[in-house]
Every structure is written in structure tokens, then in C-alpha cells.
Amino acid sequence: MSSNSRVATITSHLKQKGGKQLVRESCMPLEHKGYGKVILFGEHFVVYGVPAVVCAVNEFTDCKIKKLPKGESGWKVTDNRPAVPGYIVNKAAEQKMAHDLVINHLQLDLSQQGIEIVLGGPLVPTSGIGASASNVTALARALSHSFDLNLNNDEVNAAAYVGEGGYHGTPSGIDNTAATFGGLLSFRRTKDGPKFSKITTPAKGFLVVVSTGITASTTTVVGEVRSIRQSCPLMFEHMMTQYQQILDRSTKALAEGDWDTVGRLMNENHLLLKKLGLSIPELEKIIKAATASGAIGAKLSGTGRGGIAVALCSDAASQQHVAEELKKLPAARFVWKYSIGGK
């Protein structure tokens, strides 16, 4: 079954639930959330069928649904997320399309009673952190509650995947899967639909995630990578082979909790992304400073051309030191600390 067929199957099931009018306002945002994420391995390559490794972070977007005044139909959004400057304005048109896609996918009737979508939560929207997926995932969960749809996680994930089309054109599905299920995941896009599995690693890893504050258009960047693949197929195929080797070694290292090897492989993955023209001077300064401060690996994460970099540290003390050093860097607009894996 193709990705489109899978969504169509769930949509057919939702028609029995959809077409509904508002049942209740949603005032429990902590239950209606979507996680942010960082990609450790495989951004852009995942679009062409090879697996990627993604880590959901503990910060999230939440969503509440409120009634519009009597007589007002349709929907409007109040976006209270603590975004980097310019993000919400730059993404407004894509967000509108994404929300329309989710609402239409769920077969909701807003002709009699309109709704206000209120977004918040601690996740700071910036390119690369999965903010769009956390948005539409939280929205799907809030709408499920307000319209009595009783969506399960697979149905939430399907709705979020449809919504991601508003932001990304043809999304890989990796961001919405991380936003829905959380944790450390291996993700692969196949002709039978997205396939993912949880990754268990015995030792804790320590991440420092840094935002450049620069917003890039995922649709544009993905399109440019596609053009490179089409114009230089042999070069791109060689890079895919190199990435697969990185992935195979990283999978083994993660299973063993060998973070030193994971860090070195992150460095190798970054060089491939750099060859595709996805890095910029701000990202390079952050990555160089991170490794100089003691990080065992660092790379851009997500779309590239801005967005975020992620650095891997050996322990909490190193993580704290790297974070403090990066905060001194003008290119590092926001700095966060996360941990993954372990018991």
C-alpha cells in the first residue's frame, strides 16, 4: 500500500467520524501536544528511501480549540508559540494551508460554528526543530477531542502527515512520526507507507541543540536537492552509498551505546550535507565552536540553509560546557540541552 493509499484508507475510516460540528472546547493543551525533534542522521537522504535516525525532544507545541462568537464560521489561529523572530510571519501562508489540510482531512464542518486554534507550549519554532509537525500533530489531537473523533495515534499521525504537505509539499513523514510518538526512532519512507521502529540505546547521550534563528523554506531546499539528484545522478548515488555506510555503523553504535562512534559519524554525515550546499557560514561557525569546546560530534540538522545544528557530548559536564561556550557565539541565537537514551 502506498503512502497515499494508506492515508486514503484512514480517511475512509474517518468519514464515519467526520462531518461533525464542534462538541466541546478543548482546554487541556498538555494532552494535545506534538513533540519537536532533531535528526541525528539522514535528512534529505530519507526522501529517497533510505532510513534516517530521529530523536524527539521533550519540548512540544500544544493546542487549544475555542469557539468563535456566534455566527462566525471557519477558523482563525492565535499563535502564542515562543518562535524565533520572523518565523511565524514567514510561515503564515504555509501554516494556513496546513491547517486547512488537516481540517479537510478530518471531514469537519465549521459552517455553523467556527473555531479559534490557539497554539502555545515551550517548543521554540525555528527551522529544523520540527515545529510545523508539532503544530499539526497538536492540532489533530485537539480537534479529535473537540469533535469527538477519538483518533488513535496512527490516525493522528496520518492527519499530521497530510497537514505537513502545507509546509513541505511532499513530506517524508519523519517529522510528524516523531511529533506523534516521541522517543528515538529509525524511520524509512517506503512504497507501502512510512515504516518506523523504536531505537533502544543502553547509555545516555547528551545533546546541545543550537538555532541560527534563520528560517529556511523546506519546500525550496528539498526541491533544490531534488534538482541536484536529477542533474548529477551518479554523484548523488555515490553520496547515498556513503550515507548508507554511515547509517549502518551508527545503528550498531547506538545499539551499543557507543557515543564516541556516533559523534564521529555525525561529523561524516555533516560533510555529505555540506557537499549538497546545505550548510551556511553561521552553521559552520557553530559546528566548529562546538567541537573545539569538547563535543564529540556536530552537524546541521533538518532542512539546512539555517535552522539548527546539533552537537553530541560525552557527559552532562561536557554538555554544560559546550552549551555555555556556544552561548557566547553571535551565530548561536538559541541554545538548548537535551538527553537521549539510557535507562
Side-chain angles (χ1 to χ4, degrees):
M1 182 184 292
S2 68
S3 297
N4 288 339
S5 297
R6 179 173 176 270
V7 171
T9 298
I10 294 176
T11 300
S12 177
H13 175 53
L14 287 171
K15 285 181 179 178
Q16 302 172 23
K17 302 180 177 183
K20 288 190 174 183
Q21 296 182 1
L22 187 70
V23 174
R24 64 180 69 85
E25 292 187 315
S26 169
C27 297
M28 298 181 291
L30 293 182
E31 295 183 13
H32 309 141
K33 62 186 179 183
Y35 297 102
K37 68 88 179 69
V38 292
I39 297 179
L40 296 182
F41 297 99
E43 50 273 274
H44 291 284
F45 297 111
V46 70
V47 174
Y48 302 103
V50 293
V53 176
V54 59
C55 174
V57 301
N58 56 3
E59 292 185 344
F60 55 86
T61 294
D62 61 40
C63 183
K64 295 186 289 186
I65 303 296
K66 296 182 177 181
K67 293 181 180 179
L68 287 178
K70 187 175 181 180
E72 292 190 25
S73 60
W75 64 270
K76 71 174 186 178
V77 64
T78 299
D79 199 334
N80 296 325
R81 295 176 296 167
V84 300
Y87 179 92
I88 290 175
V89 172
N90 290 338
K91 295 285 187 176
E94 294 177 354
Q95 182 190 61
K96 181 182 186 306
M97 186 183 301
H99 286 189
D100 280 336
L101 286 169
V102 172
I103 289 167
N104 292 335
H105 172 73
L106 296 178
Q107 305 284 317
L108 304 182
D109 179 8
L110 303 182
S111 63
Q112 302 300 314
Q113 175 61 63
I115 60 172
E116 179 184 6
I117 298 165
V118 183
L119 299 173
L123 183 71
V124 177
T126 184
S127 290
I129 202 70
S132 62
S134 67
N135 173 356
V136 290
T137 299
L139 173 63
R141 285 183 163 138
L143 291 171
S144 175
H145 175 76
S146 291
F147 288 82
D148 260 356
L149 301 180
N150 299 312
L151 302 183
N152 61 36
N153 278 338
D154 285 334
E155 290 169 334
V156 167
N157 196 28
Y161 175 80
V162 171
E164 276 278 86
Y167 283 100
H168 303 316
T170 305
S172 68
I174 189 170
D175 286 14
N176 51 275
T177 300
T180 300
F181 294 97
L184 183 63
L185 304 171
S186 172
F187 177 94
R188 184 169 190 168
R189 184 178 179 179
T190 76
K191 64 179 182 179
D192 297 319
K195 305 293 183 184
F196 71 94
S197 59
K198 292 276 188 177
I199 297 175
T200 301
T201 184
K204 184 176 289 188
F206 299 85
L207 301 179
V208 178
V209 178
V210 185
S211 172
T212 62
I214 298 170
T215 300
S217 168
T218 301
T219 301
T220 299
V221 178
V222 168
E224 291 177 1
V225 173
R226 184 182 300 112
S227 295
I228 293 173
R229 179 173 180 259
Q230 292 170 347
S231 61
C232 305
L234 293 180
M235 181 198 76
F236 195 86
E237 187 63 31
H238 179 63
M239 294 179 74
M240 289 276 284
T241 300
Q242 289 178 296
Y243 168 68
Q244 184 66 59
Q245 293 170 350
I246 291 171
L247 176 72
D248 292 343
R249 291 156 60 200
S250 69
T251 300
K252 181 176 183 294
L254 284 167
E256 297 172 352
D258 181 1
W259 292 110
D260 285 341
T261 297
V262 172
R264 290 194 296 271
L265 293 170
M266 288 171 63
N267 294 336
E268 292 182 26
N269 194 168
H270 177 72
L271 290 178
L272 289 179
L273 298 170
K274 187 177 178 181
K275 287 179 182 178
L276 285 172
L278 299 174
S279 192
I280 59 173
E282 290 84 352
L283 285 168
E284 292 302 311
K285 290 175 183 177
I286 290 167
I287 289 165
K288 182 178 179 180
T291 53
S293 301
I296 53 181
K299 61 183 285 292
L300 70 83
S301 181
T303 300
R305 303 277 177 81
I308 63 172
V310 56
L312 177 65
C313 302
S314 57
D315 54 37
S318 175
Q319 179 192 45
Q320 181 64 29
H321 176 69
V322 170
E324 290 303 320
E325 289 301 306
L326 288 173
K327 287 177 182 178
K328 301 174 184 177
L329 201 65
R333 298 290 300 277
F334 297 89
V335 179
W336 305 281
K337 296 181 295 181
Y338 302 111
S339 62
I340 57 175
K343 301 297 184 182

